[in-house]
């Protein structure tokens, strides 16, 4: 039933998307005319997308990936506007046209592919969990009857529901709220991608990350599905190929200490 609803939604979105019509400008032309790339990003998932408390600026690995795209499309990494979004708001931000693209630790999944388009992946993460250093939890099997904190609308939420149906879930709208809840004892573990957890671990040495990962999370840029118009997707795929080949991704991983 869920699948039927998703397919139905996908058809409605494509019919109403207002893109791909012959007389209209392409997605890429619209961005070039505007001379600014509008990007949906996370502001609380260090080191991928976060607000630098000293400068107030949004920084991170995903932010730099988006800047590379702006460089290729508009000739400058400064021609970019960042729109903060929550994990569960990512799809709507894209389908409504509020943003041109989302670069926010976003995993490619078949369900999401019914609603939006993805570029090639630029990074592979994996889901794991953060626990208190002195807890008796060492792997996901130990979490079967425990309370697990997740951010709503994420693949982590879905994976836990599937893999640990007997666990209790505590869902939050963003990673900061989820981590604060974990710190304040509202759950036995906080489960999300290893990338995001390592950012929280960096600032707190009372915790540890479980060794096993329960998923592979290929991160890609999400864009609006546009029939007969692959201008933006092609351009972004060009950027991703370029930055993988010319060492930019390698250097960015080093810059943001990402393994
Ligand atoms: N990669 C996940 C997603 O796209 C976000 C991180 C998480 O699962 O918490 O939904």
């Amino acid at each position: 039933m869920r699948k039927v609803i998703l397919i139905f939604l996908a058809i409605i979105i494509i019919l109403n998307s207002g893109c791909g019509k012959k007389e209209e400008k392409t997605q890429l032309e619209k961005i070039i005319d505007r001379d600014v790339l509008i990007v949906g990003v996370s502001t609380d998932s260090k080191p991928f997308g976060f607000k630098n408390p000293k400068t107030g600026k949004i920084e991170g690995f995903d932010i730099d990936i988006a800047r590379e795209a702006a460089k290729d499309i508009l000739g400058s990494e400064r021609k970019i506007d960042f729109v903060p979004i929550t994990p569960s708001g990512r799809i709507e931000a894209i389908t409504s046209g509020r943003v041109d693209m989302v670069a926010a630790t976003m995993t490619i999944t078949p369900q999401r592919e019914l609603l939006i388009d993805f570029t090639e992946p630029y990074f592979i993460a994996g889901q794991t969990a953060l626990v208190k250093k002195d807890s008796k939890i060492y792997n996901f099997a130990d979490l079967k009857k425990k309370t697990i904190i997740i951010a709503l609308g994420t693949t982590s939420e879905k994976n836990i529901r599937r893999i640990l149906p007997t666990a209790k879930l505590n869902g939050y709208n963003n990673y900061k709220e989820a981590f604060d809840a974990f710190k304040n004892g509202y759950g036995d573990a906080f489960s999300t991608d290893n990338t995001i957890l390592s950012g929280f671990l960096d600032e707190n040495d009372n915790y540890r990350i479980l060794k096993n990962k329960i998923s592979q999370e290929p991160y890609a840029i999400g864009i609006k599905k546009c029939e007969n118009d692959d201008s933006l997707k092609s351009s972004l795929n060009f950027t991703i190929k370029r930055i993988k080949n010319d060492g930019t991704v390698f250097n960015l991983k080093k810059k943001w200490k990402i393994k």
Side-chain angles (χ1 to χ4, degrees), residues 19-21 24-32 37 69 72-73 100-101 117 119 223-239:
C19 56
K21 289 186 199 125
E24 256 203 43
K25 292 198 167 164
T26 65
Q27 281 178 297
L28 194 62
E29 284 168 339
K30 284 183 195 161
I31 296 166
I32 293 170
L37 180 66
D72 285 342
I73 298 172
D100 298 314
M101 60 184 236
D117 250 359
T119 61
I223 60 169
K224 198 169 189 170
K225 242 185 203 309
C226 257
E227 237 189 327
N228 308 321
D229 173 12
D230 66 350
S231 57
L232 180 57
K233 188 170 168 174
S234 304
S235 168
L236 294 174
N237 277 337
F238 168 84
T239 300

Side-chain angles (χ1 to χ4, degrees), residues 157-173:
E157 175 185 6
K158 247 184 140 213
N159 292 338
I160 294 283
R161 284 190 196 283
R162 182 170 45 86
I163 295 168
L164 293 174
T166 52
K168 183 173 178 290
L169 275 196
N170 264 352
Y172 294 87
N173 279 328

Side-chain angles (χ1 to χ4, degrees), residues 35-254:
D35 210 23
V36 166
L37 180 66
I38 304 173
V39 185
V41 295
S42 234
T43 55
D44 62 354
S45 47
K46 204 176 173 184
F48 276 67
F50 66 100
K51 212 172 210 171
N52 182 326
K54 282 186 200 136
T55 60
K57 290 209 171 109
I58 301 174
E59 298 178 358
F61 183 81
D62 279 341
I63 307 305
D64 285 344
I65 300 277
R67 288 194 185 283
E68 290 297 324
K71 227 193 260 176
D72 285 342
I73 298 172
L74 300 170
S76 165
E77 59 170 44
R78 289 162 182 266
K79 293 185 174 177
I80 198 160
D81 271 355
F82 293 115
V83 177
I85 43 168
T86 59
S88 62
R90 290 176 294 189
I91 303 270
E92 183 276 333
I94 294 168
T95 55
S96 66
R98 207 149 56 83
V99 300
D100 298 314
M101 60 184 236
V102 162
T105 65
M106 193 170 191
T107 302
I108 305 170
T109 71
Q111 292 84 356
R112 288 175 180 166
E113 276 178 321
L114 290 172
L115 304 174
I116 60 164
D117 250 359
F118 283 102
T119 61
E120 293 297 316
Y122 57 83
F123 186 82
I124 312 277
Q127 183 179 346
T128 179
L130 192 70
V131 295
K132 298 226 162 68
K133 224 177 205 168
D134 58 4
S135 96
K136 299 229 156 52
I137 298 162
Y138 295 99
N139 54 52
F140 277 86
D142 297 332
L143 284 169
K144 268 186 197 152
K145 298 241 163 76
K146 303 279 187 202
T147 300
I148 306 175
I149 291 172
I150 45 92
L152 294 165
T154 60
T155 47
S156 298
E157 175 185 6
K158 247 184 140 213
N159 292 338
I160 294 283
R161 284 190 196 283
R162 182 170 45 86
I163 295 168
L164 293 174
T166 52
K168 183 173 178 290
L169 275 196
N170 264 352
Y172 294 87
N173 279 328
N174 58 52
Y175 300 106
K176 190 188 172 302
E177 278 178 23
F179 181 64
D180 286 346
F182 173 64
K183 266 198 317 202
N184 293 323
Y186 289 95
D188 303 289
F190 168 27
S191 184
T192 177
D193 294 345
N194 56 341
T195 44
I196 299 172
L197 290 179
S198 63
F200 285 115
L201 190 69
D202 264 0
E203 293 164 12
N204 302 273
D205 60 0
N206 303 330
Y207 310 109
R208 63 184 156 79
I209 293 177
L210 299 188
K211 289 212 173 75
N212 57 331
K213 297 192 191 92
I214 53 166
S215 68
Q216 273 221 335
E217 306 287 331
Y219 290 173
I221 296 172
I223 60 169
K224 198 169 189 170
K225 242 185 203 309
C226 257
E227 237 189 327
N228 308 321
D229 173 12
D230 66 350
S231 57
L232 180 57
K233 188 170 168 174
S234 304
S235 168
L236 294 174
N237 277 337
F238 168 84
T239 300
I240 289 172
K241 198 165 179 188
R242 173 181 69 71
I243 61 178
K244 276 181 179 169
N245 290 340
D246 70 5
T248 305
V249 170
F250 180 85
N251 291 332
L252 288 179
K253 281 190 194 165
K254 246 172 62 189

